[in-house]
Amino acid sequence: MTLVNTADLIRAADRDGCALGGFNIYNLEGVRAVVAAAEATRSPVILQIHPAALRHGGRPLVALCLSAAQEASVPAAVHLDHSTELADIQVALEMGIPSVMADGSHLPYADNLAYIRQVTALAATMGASVEAELGRISGTEDGLSVADYEARMTDPDQAAAFVQQTNIDLLAVCIGNVHGVYRQPPRLDFDRLAAIDRAVAIPLVLHGASGLDDALIRQAIRCGVRKFNVNTEVRQAYLDTLKTALVTSPSVDLVPLMQQAQHAMQAVVAEKMALFGSAGRADPITG
Ligand code: 13P
């Protein structure tokens, strides 16, 4: 159908009171799994590329995502995840990725603000949308680890000023969410989330959505979250399939193995789309 802008998709989800998944992909099987799940459930979808995957896959990986999004029978967006470097963002935008997450959360507030303002100015010249994070999420993703003691919650008043001064499209919040596996039962600060939602007029993003149960996800949607980032559970489905298949049938051919891995990831993604409420929303969002 079409490659669409992430912010437009999310604004439509906001009107519908549901959320979309941003699913990290690394290769053809990942892209196919996410798009096939979206088509099967009639859900709009966001394909996300982490900078580590971008460095590995380069232009061919971006071309794969853009072409899969263009050919999908549902609205699909392509998004650069967690980018700490303006240079990476520039390269991604020039390659045709129409939406980026600029991550200045490791910087002091004033530097984060300055970095994001640079990114929104650049993105505006290319019609791209920008997600930024305030606070700091702990956990591990693609070799990037943030210790628990470095985690910082998002402050609602600061969020209001930050959004107003940066002109971002989406705000990623830190309310106790973590990247990777939750080592303790997740404890999300919903009062803080609701206060952030009241303080800013743009949709909210929750990273670290793997491992959050249905009740937590539904409450997050009620408090304004419109995009959930999912990586760990999908990646785990891929790795588990490969591990099991290689033990049970070590001489398996590569194509059936890749298909098994794709189906395992697709099942996880489809389940998330149903939970986020985006399943069945593909047509109203475009119309
Ligand atoms: P998970 O590690 O919980 O899947 O989160 C992924 C994420 O937030 C990507 O930005």
Side-chain angles (χ1 to χ4, degrees), residues 167 197-198 229 259:
N167 215 13
D197 190 41
R198 283 193 299 274
N229 279 15
Q259 286 167 340

Side-chain angles (χ1 to χ4, degrees), residues 159-209:
F162 185 76
V163 169
Q164 204 249 323
Q165 288 172 54
T166 54
N167 215 13
I168 54 172
D169 301 281
L170 305 168
L171 178 70
V173 295
C174 304
I175 55 161
N177 43 321
V178 306
H179 281 138
V181 175
Y182 283 83
R183 278 170 282 137
Q184 283 144 14
R187 287 203 355 251
L188 301 185
D189 184 345
F190 285 112
D191 290 341
R192 179 180 296 273
L193 182 60
I196 299 166
D197 190 41
R198 283 193 299 274
V200 306
I202 59 171
L204 305 179
V205 181
L206 195 72
H207 286 238

Side-chain angles (χ1 to χ4, degrees), residues 24 81-82 141 179-180 207-210 229-232:
N24 288 72
D81 198 18
H82 282 291
E141 188 177 35
H179 281 138
H207 286 238
S210 292
N229 279 15
V230 182
N231 184 356
T232 301

